[in-house]
Amino acid sequence: MYAHQVPIYASSTYVFDNAEQGMRRFSGQEEGYIYSRWGNPTITEAEEKIVALETFGLGIEAKGILHSSGMAAISTLMLATLKPGDKILTHFSLYGGTNELVNKILPGFNITAIIEDLRDLNIAEGLLRADPAIKMLYLETPANPTIQCVDVEELSKLAKRYNCIVACDNTFATPYLQQPFKYDVDFVVHSTTKFLNGHGTAIGGILLGKDVELMKTKITKIHRTLGGNSNAFDAFLLIQGIKTLEIRMERHCHNALEVANYLETHAAVEKVNYAGLITHPDFYTALKQMKHPGPMLSFELKGGFQAGIDFMNKLKMCVRTVSLGTCDTLLSHPASMTHYSVPKEEKEKYGITNGLIRMNVGIENLQDIISDLNQALTA
Ligand SMILES: *Cc1c(COP(=O)(O)O)cnc(C)c1O
């Protein structure tokens, strides 16, 4: 008899049958569990499922290492693959934590970042050609909060020409909508906190690499030593969430496109940023590399900052919160929340206007979402 659901192996350590087995495990002659910072059966199950999704149909192998958070996975990636003097080339629309890591923490290790608009391939090529210290191209697409998309295939080709490793944060898209490994990317990272878990019940992250040998040796060693490991319960929640990934994403995407169309025609809305609208500057990039432009969008209210505050206060069903990737519709007002203390010029550069609202379109009944938005938009 064995359980239908993957058991939660809540154990910090594992018993050896005999002393010789302990020796074989420690010497690497035999695979098996030793200590849960190094690996745990529930965690392994979650890792294998995400690897299967990210490599599906591509005929490649990969290995995934689950982490305590998306940031822990990104930190392992950077610290395992870069050394002092190396530079990272990345697009300017980065997740806040990643931005902080590459701009404030890694420079202390003499690893610096060049942050540019990588939607312009000429800029990317010019930088790669001019600076051989660039060792990593780090992509995040689609990105916060204006849903900018960069061309993974073309950028990856360029990076390879200049011997650069390529990593892609696939959190917003999930492997259901986009598979970066298809474009010869070396590493994929996720905040599993978002759509992979799907229900907002746990923080987690994963680092996947298609050089399995490198993942099993150097990267595993760094992961185990830095200690950003996940745990059995969060891995269990993640496994439960992944079972409904396709059905959730289908519904999220369907609702998002309808909401974007609705918002575009509303008199109180100045502009809608959704990669599925032909008016979005990256419409064709999204079309090329994604199955669907996804569940995330943002929109600008004509009334500016106060209109943003008023709108947020009037919401009844949709949830006032940051984060994304849950079944529920979540809305945030960057100017008064996540980007409150960001200098004005920087906000402008990132497209964060005072009336901007970011939205994770949920899987609720579409009419319920639109009715709530409608009453909140009505003065
Ligand atoms: C949330 C998020 C992260 C960080 O993940 P945590 O699980 O919060 O550490 C990284 N990248 C993107 C795109 C995210 O949305």
Side-chain angles (χ1 to χ4, degrees):
M1 182 201 74
Y2 61 95
H4 160 216
Q5 301 293 352
V6 178
I8 301 168
Y9 286 90
S11 182
S12 57
T13 191
Y14 303 85
V15 181
F16 304 127
D17 291 341
N18 48 49
E20 289 80 5
Q21 187 185 45
M23 187 165 71
R24 287 196 303 277
R25 294 238 171 127
F26 270 96
S27 66
Q29 284 168 287
E30 177 184 304
E31 285 207 24
Y33 298 99
I34 296 175
Y35 182 59
S36 275
R37 172 154 49 78
W38 289 32
N40 166 290
T42 319
I43 290 176
T44 303
E45 192 74 22
E47 290 169 341
E48 287 176 354
K49 282 182 158 51
I50 298 171
V51 166
L53 291 168
E54 282 290 0
T55 58
F56 181 76
L58 304 182
I60 60 158
E61 275 189 75
K63 177 172 166 57
I65 304 176
L66 201 66
H67 283 70
S68 54
S69 67
M71 286 316 303
I74 296 167
S75 302
T76 295
L77 166 71
M78 303 291 187
L79 293 171
T81 56
L82 298 169
K83 57 180 194 319
D86 288 350
K87 293 182 186 169
I88 305 164
L89 176 61
T90 188
H91 184 65
F92 66 81
S93 195
L94 268 188
Y95 175 73
T98 313
N99 194 51
E100 193 98 345
L101 177 67
V102 304
N103 278 318
K104 306 237 171 84
I105 297 177
L106 292 180
F109 298 88
N110 195 21
I111 296 166
T112 51
I114 300 173
I115 302 186
E116 265 296 345
D117 189 342
L118 299 184
R119 289 172 301 174
D120 185 334
L121 296 174
N122 290 323
I123 291 183
E125 167 134 46
L127 289 164
L128 285 162
R129 191 188 312 120
D131 196 345
I134 300 174
K135 291 288 157 56
M136 176 190 281
L137 173 70
Y138 185 86
L139 308 174
E140 184 185 320
T141 180
N144 235 341
T146 50
I147 324 300
Q148 289 179 0
C149 300
V150 294
D151 189 324
V152 181
E153 181 176 26
E154 293 304 323
L155 286 167
S156 176
K157 264 193 221 158
L158 276 178
K160 290 299 157 81
R161 207 176 298 153
Y162 294 94
N163 295 319
C164 222
I165 57 172
V166 185
C168 185
D169 182 334
N170 204 28
T171 301
F172 271 40
T174 80
Y176 180 63
L177 299 181
Q178 171 176 283
Q179 287 174 295
F181 283 135
K182 194 169 164 185
Y183 307 110
D184 206 23
V185 160
D186 302 289
F187 297 98
V188 172
V189 291
H190 279 278
S191 167
T192 60
T193 313
K194 315 295 166 54
F195 296 103
L196 288 172
N197 168 299
H199 301 75
T201 53
I203 301 284
I206 191 164
L207 168 61
L208 303 113
K210 69 175 197 269
D211 182 341
V212 174
E213 207 37 49
L214 179 70
M215 290 298 290
K216 281 188 173 166
T217 52
K218 187 176 180 191
I219 295 183
T220 290
K221 181 144 191 77
I222 291 192
H223 161 71
R224 289 176 174 178
T225 308
L226 292 181
N229 56 283
S230 184
N231 64 80
F233 184 61
D234 289 356
F236 168 81
L237 294 171
L238 178 56
I239 292 165
Q240 297 307 307
I242 290 172
K243 292 182 196 214
T244 55
L245 180 68
E246 170 169 342
I247 191 170
R248 284 186 286 110
M249 291 309 284
E250 286 284 333
R251 177 69 171 241
H252 274 294
C253 291
H254 171 261
N255 283 355
L257 183 59
E258 295 292 330
V259 166
N261 285 330
Y262 157 78
L263 288 169
E264 246 205 341
T265 60
H266 199 287
V269 176
E270 176 73 38
K271 183 180 171 197
V272 180
N273 301 305
Y274 183 58
L277 297 176
I278 189 96
T279 48
H280 191 283
D282 306 325
F283 174 83
Y284 288 104
T285 308
L287 189 67
K288 171 184 169 187
Q289 63 198 18
M290 298 175 76
K291 187 180 288 186
H292 187 283
M296 298 299 298
L297 59 85
S298 64
F299 56 98
E300 279 174 35
L301 293 171
K302 282 184 184 157
F305 191 85
Q306 195 54 45
I309 297 277
D310 294 344
F311 169 80
M312 292 298 292
N313 280 336
K314 280 193 204 142
L315 292 168
K316 287 182 179 155
M317 181 195 81
C318 300
V319 189
R320 258 185 308 274
T321 183
V322 292
S323 198
L324 58 128
T326 75
C327 297
D328 311 306
T329 295
L330 312 181
L331 292 108
S332 64
H333 179 220
S336 67
M337 299 174 181
T338 47
H339 295 72
Y340 181 75
S341 40
V342 174
K344 190 164 171 280
E345 315 78 64
E346 221 170 299
K347 269 195 284 222
E348 276 167 13
K349 187 172 142 196
Y350 297 145
I352 296 153
T353 54
N354 283 331
L356 189 78
I357 303 290
R358 189 186 77 171
M359 184 166 183
N360 163 75
V361 182
I363 65 170
E364 303 96 331
N365 176 284
L366 176 63
Q367 212 43 57
D368 285 347
I369 301 173
I370 291 183
S371 301
D372 195 25
L373 295 176
N374 208 42
Q375 64 80 23
L377 285 167
T378 308

